[in-house]
Coordinates of all heavy atoms in Angstrom, one line a residue:
Chain A
V16 N -0.2 -3.3 -24.5 CA 0.3 -2.1 -23.7 C -0.7 -1.0 -23.8 O -1.1 -0.6 -25.0 CB 1.7 -1.7 -24.2 CG1 2.1 -0.4 -23.5 CG2 2.7 -2.8 -24.0
R17 N -1.1 -0.5 -22.7 CA -2.0 0.7 -22.7 C -1.5 1.7 -21.7 O -0.9 1.4 -20.7 CB -3.4 0.2 -22.1 CG -4.1 -0.9 -23.0 CD -4.6 -0.3 -24.3 NE -5.3 -1.3 -25.1 CZ -4.6 -2.2 -25.9 NH1 -3.3 -2.1 -26.0 NH2 -5.3 -3.1 -26.6
P18 N -1.8 3.0 -21.9 CA -1.5 4.1 -21.0 C -2.2 3.9 -19.7 O -3.3 3.3 -19.6 CB -2.0 5.3 -21.7 CG -2.2 5.0 -23.1 CD -2.6 3.5 -23.1
V19 N -1.6 4.3 -18.6 CA -2.1 4.2 -17.3 C -2.3 5.7 -16.8 O -1.4 6.5 -16.9 CB -1.2 3.5 -16.3 CG1 -1.7 3.6 -14.8 CG2 -1.1 2.0 -16.7
P20 N -3.5 6.1 -16.3 CA -3.7 7.4 -15.7 C -2.7 7.6 -14.6 O -2.5 6.7 -13.8 CB -5.1 7.4 -15.2 CG -5.8 6.3 -15.9 CD -4.8 5.2 -16.2
L21 N -2.1 8.8 -14.5 CA -1.0 9.0 -13.6 C -1.5 8.9 -12.1 O -0.8 8.6 -11.2 CB -0.4 10.4 -13.8 CG 0.3 10.5 -15.2 CD1 1.0 11.8 -15.3 CD2 1.3 9.3 -15.4
D22 N -2.8 9.2 -11.9 CA -3.3 9.1 -10.5 C -3.5 7.6 -10.1 O -4.0 7.3 -9.0 CB -4.5 9.9 -10.3 CG -5.7 9.4 -11.1 OD1 -5.6 8.4 -11.9 OD2 -6.8 10.0 -11.0
R23 N -3.2 6.7 -11.0 CA -3.2 5.2 -10.6 C -1.8 4.6 -10.5 O -1.7 3.4 -10.2 CB -4.1 4.5 -11.7 CG -5.6 4.7 -11.5 CD -6.1 4.3 -10.2 NE -7.5 4.6 -9.9 CZ -7.9 5.7 -9.3 NH1 -7.1 6.6 -8.9 NH2 -9.2 5.9 -9.1
V24 N -0.8 5.4 -10.7 CA 0.6 4.9 -10.7 C 0.9 4.3 -9.3 O 1.6 3.3 -9.3 CB 1.5 6.0 -11.1 CG1 3.0 5.7 -10.6 CG2 1.5 6.2 -12.6
Y25 N 0.4 4.9 -8.3 CA 0.8 4.4 -6.9 C 0.4 3.0 -6.8 O 1.0 2.2 -6.0 CB 0.2 5.3 -5.8 CG -1.2 5.1 -5.5 CD1 -1.7 4.3 -4.5 CD2 -2.2 5.7 -6.3 CE1 -3.0 4.0 -4.3 CE2 -3.6 5.5 -6.0 CZ -4.0 4.7 -5.0 OH -5.3 4.5 -4.8
I27 N 0.5 0.7 -8.9 CA 1.5 -0.2 -9.5 C 2.6 -0.5 -8.5 O 3.1 -1.6 -8.3 CB 2.1 0.4 -10.8 CG1 1.0 0.6 -11.9 CG2 3.3 -0.4 -11.3 CD1 1.5 1.3 -13.1
L28 N 3.0 0.6 -7.8 CA 4.2 0.4 -6.9 C 3.8 -0.1 -5.5 O 4.7 -0.5 -4.8 CB 4.9 1.8 -6.8 CG 5.5 2.3 -8.1 CD1 6.0 3.7 -7.9 CD2 6.6 1.4 -8.6
S37 N 15.9 2.6 -15.3 CA 16.8 2.9 -16.5 C 16.9 4.4 -16.7 O 16.0 5.2 -16.3 CB 16.2 2.2 -17.8 OG 14.9 2.6 -18.0
D58 N -1.1 12.1 -6.3 CA -1.5 13.0 -7.5 C -1.0 14.4 -7.2 O -1.7 15.0 -6.3 CB -3.0 12.9 -7.7 CG -3.4 13.6 -9.0 OD1 -2.5 13.9 -9.8 OD2 -4.6 13.9 -9.1
P59 N 0.0 14.9 -7.8 CA 0.8 14.2 -8.8 C 1.6 13.0 -8.3 O 2.1 13.1 -7.2 CB 1.7 15.3 -9.3 CG 1.8 16.3 -8.2 CD 0.5 16.2 -7.5
A60 N 1.6 12.0 -9.1 CA 2.2 10.7 -8.6 C 3.7 10.9 -8.6 O 4.4 11.4 -9.5 CB 1.9 9.6 -9.7
K61 N 4.3 10.6 -7.4 CA 5.7 10.6 -7.2 C 6.2 9.3 -6.7 O 5.4 8.5 -6.1 CB 6.1 11.7 -6.2 CG 5.7 13.1 -6.6 CD 6.4 14.2 -5.7 CE 5.8 15.6 -5.9 NZ 4.5 15.8 -5.2
A62 N 7.5 9.1 -6.8 CA 8.1 7.9 -6.3 C 9.5 8.2 -5.8 O 10.2 9.2 -6.2 CB 8.1 6.7 -7.3
N80 N 17.8 14.0 -16.3 CA 16.7 14.4 -15.4 C 15.5 13.6 -15.6 O 14.4 14.0 -15.1 CB 16.4 15.9 -15.5 CG 17.3 16.7 -14.7 OD1 17.5 16.4 -13.5 ND2 17.8 17.8 -15.2
Y81 N 15.6 12.4 -16.2 CA 14.4 11.5 -16.3 C 14.9 10.1 -15.9 O 16.1 9.7 -16.1 CB 13.9 11.4 -17.7 CG 13.1 12.7 -18.1 CD1 13.8 13.8 -18.6 CD2 11.7 12.8 -17.8 CE1 13.1 15.0 -18.9 CE2 11.0 13.9 -18.1 CZ 11.7 15.0 -18.7 OH 11.0 16.2 -19.0
F82 N 14.0 9.3 -15.4 CA 14.2 7.9 -15.2 C 13.0 7.1 -15.4 O 11.9 7.6 -15.2 CB 14.9 7.6 -13.8 CG 14.1 8.0 -12.6 CD1 13.2 7.1 -12.0 CD2 14.3 9.2 -12.0 CE1 12.5 7.5 -10.9 CE2 13.5 9.6 -10.9 CZ 12.6 8.7 -10.3
M83 N 13.2 5.8 -15.8 CA 12.0 4.9 -16.0 C 12.1 3.9 -14.9 O 13.2 3.3 -14.7 CB 12.1 4.3 -17.4 CG 11.0 3.4 -17.7 SD 9.5 4.2 -18.4 CE 9.9 4.2 -20.1
L84 N 11.0 3.6 -14.3 CA 10.8 2.4 -13.4 C 9.9 1.4 -14.2 O 8.8 1.7 -14.4 CB 10.2 2.8 -12.1 CG 10.9 3.8 -11.2 CD1 10.3 3.9 -9.8 CD2 12.4 3.5 -11.0
S85 N 10.5 0.3 -14.5 CA 9.8 -0.8 -15.2 C 9.6 -1.9 -14.2 O 10.5 -2.2 -13.4 CB 10.6 -1.3 -16.4 OG 10.9 -0.2 -17.3
I86 N 8.5 -2.6 -14.3 CA 8.2 -3.6 -13.3 C 8.4 -5.0 -13.9 O 7.5 -5.5 -14.6 CB 6.7 -3.5 -12.8 CG1 6.3 -2.0 -12.5 CG2 6.5 -4.3 -11.6 CD1 7.2 -1.3 -11.5
G123 N 0.6 4.2 -30.4 CA 0.4 5.4 -29.6 C 1.6 5.8 -28.7 O 1.5 6.8 -28.1
L124 N 2.6 5.0 -28.7 CA 3.7 5.2 -27.8 C 4.7 6.3 -28.4 O 5.0 6.1 -29.6 CB 4.5 4.0 -27.5 CG 5.6 4.1 -26.4 CD1 4.9 4.1 -25.0 CD2 6.5 2.9 -26.5
P125 N 5.0 7.3 -27.7 CA 5.9 8.3 -28.3 C 7.2 7.7 -28.7 O 7.7 6.7 -28.1 CB 6.2 9.3 -27.1 CG 5.0 9.2 -26.2 CD 4.5 7.7 -26.4
D127 N 10.3 8.4 -28.4 CA 11.4 8.4 -27.6 C 11.3 7.6 -26.3 O 12.1 7.6 -25.4 CB 11.8 9.9 -27.2 CG 10.6 10.6 -26.5 OD1 9.5 10.1 -26.6 OD2 10.9 11.6 -25.9
I128 N 10.2 6.8 -26.2 CA 9.9 6.0 -25.1 C 10.3 4.5 -25.5 O 9.7 4.0 -26.4 CB 8.5 6.0 -24.6 CG1 8.1 7.5 -24.3 CG2 8.2 5.1 -23.4 CD1 8.8 8.1 -23.1
D129 N 11.2 3.9 -24.7 CA 11.5 2.5 -24.9 C 11.0 1.7 -23.8 O 11.3 1.9 -22.6 CB 13.0 2.3 -25.0 CG 13.6 3.1 -26.1 OD1 13.1 3.0 -27.3 OD2 14.6 3.8 -25.9
L130 N 10.2 0.6 -24.1 CA 9.7 -0.2 -23.0 C 10.4 -1.6 -23.1 O 10.4 -2.2 -24.1 CB 8.2 -0.4 -23.3 CG 7.3 0.9 -23.3 CD1 5.8 0.5 -23.4 CD2 7.5 1.8 -22.1
A136 N 4.6 -3.2 -16.2 CA 4.2 -1.8 -16.3 C 5.5 -1.0 -16.4 O 6.6 -1.5 -16.1 CB 3.4 -1.4 -15.1
W137 N 5.4 0.2 -16.8 CA 6.5 1.1 -17.1 C 6.1 2.5 -16.7 O 5.0 3.0 -17.2 CB 6.9 1.1 -18.6 CG 7.1 -0.3 -19.2 CD1 8.3 -0.9 -19.4 CD2 6.1 -1.2 -19.7 NE1 8.2 -2.1 -20.0 CE2 6.8 -2.3 -20.2 CE3 4.7 -1.2 -19.8 CZ2 6.2 -3.4 -20.7 CZ3 4.1 -2.3 -20.3 CH2 4.8 -3.4 -20.8
I138 N 6.9 3.2 -15.9 CA 6.5 4.5 -15.4 C 7.7 5.4 -15.7 O 8.8 5.2 -15.2 CB 6.2 4.5 -13.9 CG1 5.2 3.4 -13.6 CG2 5.6 5.9 -13.6 CD1 5.2 3.1 -12.1
L139 N 7.5 6.5 -16.4 CA 8.5 7.5 -16.7 C 8.4 8.6 -15.7 O 7.3 9.2 -15.5 CB 8.4 8.0 -18.1 CG 9.4 9.1 -18.5 CD1 10.9 8.5 -18.5 CD2 9.1 9.6 -19.9
F140 N 9.5 8.9 -15.0 CA 9.6 10.0 -14.0 C 10.5 11.1 -14.5 O 11.6 10.9 -15.0 CB 10.1 9.4 -12.7 CG 9.1 8.5 -12.0 CD1 9.2 7.1 -12.3 CD2 8.2 9.0 -11.1 CE1 8.3 6.3 -11.7 CE2 7.3 8.1 -10.5 CZ 7.3 6.7 -10.8
E141 N 10.1 12.3 -14.1 CA 11.0 13.5 -14.2 C 11.6 13.6 -12.8 O 10.9 13.7 -11.8 CB 10.3 14.7 -14.6 CG 11.2 15.9 -14.8 CD 10.6 17.1 -15.4 OE1 9.4 17.1 -15.7 OE2 11.3 18.1 -15.6
R142 N 12.9 13.7 -12.8 CA 13.6 13.8 -11.5 C 13.3 15.2 -10.9 O 13.2 16.2 -11.5 CB 15.1 13.8 -11.7 CG 16.0 14.1 -10.6 CD 17.4 14.3 -11.2 NE 18.4 14.6 -10.3 CZ 19.6 15.2 -10.6 NH1 19.8 15.5 -11.9 NH2 20.5 15.5 -9.7
G157 N 11.1 11.3 -8.0 CA 10.7 11.7 -9.4 C 9.2 11.9 -9.4 O 8.4 11.3 -8.5
Q158 N 8.7 12.7 -10.3 CA 7.3 12.8 -10.5 C 6.9 12.2 -11.9 O 7.6 12.4 -12.9 CB 6.9 14.3 -10.6 CG 5.4 14.5 -10.9 CD 5.0 16.0 -10.7 OE1 5.6 16.7 -9.9 NE2 4.0 16.4 -11.4
A159 N 5.9 11.3 -11.8 CA 5.5 10.6 -13.0 C 5.0 11.5 -14.1 O 4.2 12.4 -13.9 CB 4.4 9.5 -12.7
V160 N 5.5 11.2 -15.3 CA 5.0 12.0 -16.5 C 4.4 11.1 -17.5 O 3.9 11.6 -18.5 CB 6.2 12.9 -17.0 CG1 6.6 14.0 -16.0 CG2 7.4 12.0 -17.4
G161 N 4.5 9.8 -17.3 CA 3.9 8.9 -18.3 C 3.9 7.5 -17.7 O 4.8 7.2 -16.9
A162 N 2.9 6.7 -18.0 CA 2.8 5.4 -17.5 C 2.1 4.5 -18.4 O 1.1 4.9 -19.1 CB 2.2 5.3 -16.1
W163 N 2.5 3.2 -18.5 CA 1.9 2.2 -19.4 C 1.9 0.9 -18.6 O 2.7 0.7 -17.7 CB 2.7 2.1 -20.7 CG 2.8 3.3 -21.4 CD1 2.0 3.7 -22.4 CD2 3.8 4.4 -21.2 NE1 2.4 5.0 -22.9 CE2 3.4 5.4 -22.2 CE3 4.8 4.7 -20.4 CZ2 4.1 6.6 -22.3 CZ3 5.5 5.9 -20.4 CH2 5.2 6.8 -21.4
A164 N 1.0 0.0 -19.0 CA 0.9 -1.3 -18.4 C 0.4 -2.3 -19.4 O -0.2 -2.0 -20.4 CB 0.0 -1.3 -17.1
F169 N -2.5 -5.5 -15.4 CA -2.9 -4.2 -14.7 C -3.8 -3.4 -15.6 O -3.5 -2.9 -16.6 CB -1.6 -3.4 -14.4 CG -1.9 -2.2 -13.5 CD1 -2.0 -2.4 -12.1 CD2 -2.2 -1.0 -14.0 CE1 -2.2 -1.3 -11.2 CE2 -2.5 0.1 -13.2 CZ -2.5 -0.1 -11.8

Side-chain angles (χ1 to χ4, degrees):
Chain A
V16 176
R17 298 288 180 275
V19 173
L21 297 183
D22 65 359
R23 288 298 176 265
V24 160
Y25 78 95
I27 295 174
L28 296 174
S37 58
D58 188 15
K61 298 192 190 81
N80 275 315
Y81 287 88
F82 59 90
M83 180 85 88
L84 299 187
S85 305
I86 317 300
L124 190 73
D127 58 344
I128 303 292
D129 299 313
L130 303 184
W137 306 262
I138 313 161
L139 180 64
F140 291 90
E141 183 171 0
R142 172 193 180 202
Q158 178 169 330
V160 294
W163 299 266
F169 188 86

